[in-house]
Amino acid sequence: PKRIFSGIQPTGSVHLGNYFGAIQRWVELQNSGEAVLCSIADLHSITLPQDPQKLRENVMLITATLLACGIDFKKSILFEQSKVSMHTELCWVLCTITTMARLAHLPQFKEKSESLKNVPLGLFIYPVLQAADILLYKATHVPVGQDQAQHIQLAQDLAQIFNRKFGQTFPIPHALISDNRSQKIKSLREPTKKMSKSHTDSKSRLNILDEPDVLLEKIKKSVTDFTSEITYEPDKRQGVSNLINIHSLFTGKTPEEICKEAASLNTGQYKLLLADIVIEKLSPIRNNILRLTKEPAYLNEILKEGADRATELATNCWTEVIGKVFGNDLR
Ligand code: ATP
Ligand code: MG
């Protein structure tokens, strides 16, 4: 049987990249009958400095967001990563079979450490913790955005290395990367880069909780080029093509259909059209999130139940792992 695991960091409001690249896929999988383990990756988020109060608020916000987007806490398991201590324990074991050379080349580490004078060790071993997250539940499928492809590959390698050393334990997890258009939503300010929660420029992303006038302003100011026509050329015209992608994902229309419809518009006019669509599509989700964030006790109860269910699954695997690594079975 399939076992699906994925995670999201409580590092701020969810943006359209998270929504189309990850959350929407989890909901589809869940609604097709699969149980999805959704981890709120708070251990990952502290690889860069976090204020505890703000972090708590962000956990509540992400929980409300996932529920508002359609995660059903009865079908899926929604939990905070730090509440299941075996993630860090398995991470340690996996650290002992990972080389530093293997980690140094991973793009996320390069991107996030680039601007730092002192690079935290946690940021470096982040992908090992991510491998532990996945393997701890013997996950077979991991729905993520394109930016995570190399991290999933590390998880596959570590599963293989562990199995070879200690005997068959982990299935090899497969990345489920969604179709071309949703796998990588670009930044509105630098359309060669991905849209990110933690990027310092808030105008670079469209958050699903943004108010209508904020969405309009960000879309209006989004970077395009000096051509005023609307054409879909993801390699040459990243800015406009990214807007067309977002349009296409919200409406189900193909980029070709959209360009045809927008044939008489210039980029400025097209942005206004797109803003209307984004505002309309996001408003029901936004209202749901705002309603749910007013019920922290309810959210905490859901997380508590999720942590209990996750702990039960994780305990089976962890017992097997320490049995093999420390020869507990040989006593
Ligand atoms: P941060 O900047 O803090 O790393 P993030 O925006 O990258 O935040 P994560 O919590 O790291 O978000 O990732 C959650 C999920 O969203 C992952 O599956 C990731 O692949 C996906 N994702 C993130 N950004 C994008 C994007 N621009 N396009 C498509 N998927 C994305
Ligand atoms: Mg990220």
Side-chain angles (χ1 to χ4, degrees), residues 229-232 244 247-248 250-266 269-271 273-274 277:
E229 271 168 80
I230 307 302
T231 60
Y232 186 68
I244 296 174
H247 189 162
S248 165
F250 269 128
T251 58
K253 293 177 184 166
T254 64
E256 293 68 38
E257 286 169 332
I258 291 169
C259 292
K260 222 162 150 193
E261 276 179 26
S264 65
L265 306 180
N266 61 34
Q269 293 164 325
Y270 176 69
K271 286 175 182 175
L273 170 86
L274 176 65
I277 293 171

Side-chain angles (χ1 to χ4, degrees), residues 9 11 15 17-18 112 145 147 183 185 194-195 197-198:
Q9 296 188 71
T11 40
H15 55 72
N18 304 135
K112 290 197 174 177
D147 62 305
Q183 65 185 3
I185 305 291
K194 82 170 196 84
M195 192 177 274
K197 270 194 249 94
S198 58

Side-chain angles (χ1 to χ4, degrees), residues 76 88 95 100 110 117 150 164 203-204 227 234 265 311:
S76 295
T88 36
C95 274
M100 300 197 358
K110 283 194 194 154
K117 224 162 81 209
Q150 277 168 279
R164 232 182 287 132
K203 286 204 177 60
S204 68
T227 308
L265 306 180
T311 299

Side-chain angles (χ1 to χ4, degrees), residues 83-130:
K83 302 299 177 281
V84 183
S85 59
M86 292 163 279
H87 287 254
T88 36
E89 293 175 295
L90 181 57
C91 174
W92 178 253
V93 171
L94 296 180
C95 274
T96 64
I97 57 169
T98 311
T99 66
M100 300 197 358
R102 181 77 171 76
L103 299 182
H105 296 294
L106 294 170
Q108 175 179 284
F109 172 70
K110 283 194 194 154
E111 231 166 75
K112 290 197 174 177
S113 62
E114 205 172 47
S115 59
L116 302 176
K117 224 162 81 209
N118 292 305
V119 181
L121 182 57
L123 194 60
F124 188 64
I125 66 168
Y126 179 118
V128 186
L129 179 60
Q130 195 173 336

Side-chain angles (χ1 to χ4, degrees), residues 215-235:
L215 290 170
L216 175 64
E217 212 40 42
K218 287 179 178 175
I219 294 173
K220 272 202 211 157
K221 294 226 167 81
S222 67
V223 170
T224 45
D225 49 29
F226 298 106
T227 308
S228 73
E229 271 168 80
I230 307 302
T231 60
Y232 186 68
E233 296 168 83
D235 295 329

